[in-house]
Structure formats: C-alpha cells, structure tokens
Amino acid sequence: NRFKAMVEEGLLRAVPQIKREDRVALVDRLQSNAAWNFDFLTLMVLATIMAAIGLIQNSAAVVIGAMLVAPLMTPLLGLGLALQQGNPVLARLSLRSVVLGVAVALCVGWGVGLATPDLDEPTRQMLARGGPGFLDLVVAFAAGLAAAYASSRPGLIAALPGVAIAAALVPPIATSGLALSQGDFALAIGAFLLFGINMVTIILAAVTSLWAVGFRGSKPMSRWTVMAGSAVIAAVLALGVYLTLQPKTDVLDGKLPAGLAIAVQEGLGTNYTLESLA
C-alpha cells in the first residue's frame, strides 16, 4: 500500500491530471462512438475491403489507409475505461462492438479472398502479419498508451490517426479471412493471434494510461480482479516472448508453392536455365 501511494503521488506530480468535466466528456464520447450501429458497420466493412485488397496487391499505402478508416480503436479504449472505472454498461457496449466488428471483418476478408481467383498463395503483406512477436507487443502497448492519453486531452486528438496506423487491428483480421479462403489455417490462426494479442495489450495500456491521468474506479478492485488481471498480463507477455523466440521455419510437404519455378527462372535472367528445384 505504501508503494502504491508513492507511485500515485509521483504520478500526481509528474503527469497532469485531467479535470472532471474532461473526464465526463471522454466517457460520453467513448460511449457514443463505441456503440454498434450502421456507421460502425459501414466503416468496418469498407476498412476490411481496403485492407484485403491492399494485402492482395502488396500495397502498403492501401493497408495504411484501411487502418485509418477502421473504427476498432474506440471500443478498445472504451473497454479499457470500463475496466478502470468498473463501468459494466460501457464494458458491454464496447465488447459487443468489438465482437461484432471482428466477426464482420473476418467474413468480409474471407469473401474478398473467394472473389479473387488469382490469389493462389499468400502475399508478402499477408505473411508479414502471419504471427505475433514481442516487438508487436511493445508497439501495441505504446499505441494503446498514446491513444488513451491523446483521447483524454482535447488538444491532442490530432495524434489519433498516427496511433491507428501503428496499431495493427484490421489488417491481421483481413489476413486471417484471406488465409481461410485459401485453406491456409496456420496463417489464419497466426494472423488472428496477432490481432488478439494486440487487442489485449491495447486494452491493458489504455487502463494504465487512463489511471495515470486521473481516472479512478468508484470502488476498489477486489483481490480476485487484481489476480485475474495480473494473470492475463503475464500470459500475454509470456506468449509474446515465446513466439519471438520460436524459430521461423517453413516446411514443404513435397509440393512446391505455385509460381516458384517461374519466379526463380525470371531472377536468373537469360544467361542461365533452371533445370529443377529440389
């Protein structure tokens, strides 16, 4: 308790605390923007279509544009605020938007994959989102801190688009849907795992950032809540470290990927002829 009091006192001196009216305005804004409605659905569908096409075409610019359009960051911040304040209404509202948004994005990505007959194998942009690592965890935590802090300061709202680019949310879901349309379940699971770890890390970062700027719960957290939160944090960190230390290996089952021989021959030029790949 003495250590907690010391930390809180240090934060009060170092971090500017937001005023009560700003706290009320942030809660109202998150409750309004995190609600599942036609606008949220439309933006989610359009963002996933953009992300899927960008992934298929290996276009980083289109994928970045999809990150800016996607509205998923707001309900994640809402979940962080709900956990910090102990607000069950905001928690249910935000969780419903996250679950429905993810389901819609997964279905749209799968549909775009089925509608693209030329998609024979994963592209570089898809493979880049094929699994989480410890650095992805660090970026997601920093993005969550920045998003929550900027949301609590009306003068820093302009920083939110940059945070949306840094936090990989819709592209991994689109990658998972595209991979499912190809029958590549390993890539689909890895990409969805990347989204899941990013989502949990952003929520935890939002809780931390909002607590630092002055949000407090109406009731002290129970011992079981603290233990459960600590277990989730430890599990996410352990999974990120484990996946980072895992060697990146590709196993061929006797059948070479489509287009590999043609790509190798084109790389050799006209002075050499490819005889076989073994």
Side-chain angles (χ1 to χ4, degrees), residues 70-253:
L72 266 182
M73 180 61 79
T74 303
L76 294 184
L77 294 179
L79 276 173
L81 179 59
L83 290 174
Q84 178 56 41
Q85 283 193 317
N87 186 338
V89 175
L90 180 58
R92 286 194 296 268
L93 184 77
S94 301
L95 186 60
R96 178 172 180 264
S97 297
V98 171
V99 171
L100 292 177
V102 171
V104 166
L106 199 61
C107 293
V108 171
W110 176 73
V112 172
L114 291 180
T116 310
D118 297 336
L119 186 63
D120 299 324
E121 57 188 14
T123 62
R124 289 192 304 274
Q125 288 285 337
M126 291 173 62
L127 293 174
R129 292 161 177 85
F134 184 72
L135 292 180
D136 297 311
L137 237 159
V138 174
V139 171
F141 191 80
L145 288 175
Y149 187 79
S151 297
S152 66
R153 309 284 181 188
L156 298 179
I157 298 296
L160 290 178
V163 175
I165 294 174
L169 293 174
V170 170
I173 308 175
T175 298
S176 186
L178 292 172
L180 284 176
S181 71
Q182 293 181 296
D184 191 343
F185 298 106
L187 178 59
I189 293 172
F192 198 79
L193 191 59
L194 172 61
F195 164 76
I197 287 182
N198 284 349
M199 180 185 70
V200 173
T201 307
I202 288 170
I203 293 172
L204 294 176
V207 171
T208 304
S209 182
L210 293 171
W211 176 76
V213 298
F215 279 91
R216 298 291 184 270
S218 55
K219 298 190 239 181
M221 287 189 291
S222 66
R223 190 165 68 99
W224 293 109
T225 303
V226 174
M227 289 176 61
S230 302
V232 171
I233 294 172
V236 171
L237 289 173
L239 183 58
V241 172
Y242 170 75
L243 293 171
T244 300
L245 298 177
Q246 282 290 97
K248 303 294 183 181
T249 57
D250 293 320
V251 179
L252 295 177
D253 56 358

Side-chain angles (χ1 to χ4, degrees), residues 23-45:
R23 292 200 297 268
V24 173
L26 177 60
V27 173
D28 291 341
R29 189 164 64 248
L30 289 179
Q31 281 185 337
S32 174
N33 295 335
W36 176 262
N37 51 33
F38 182 78
D39 294 338
F40 196 104
L41 171 63
T42 302
L43 290 178
M44 205 68 219
V45 171

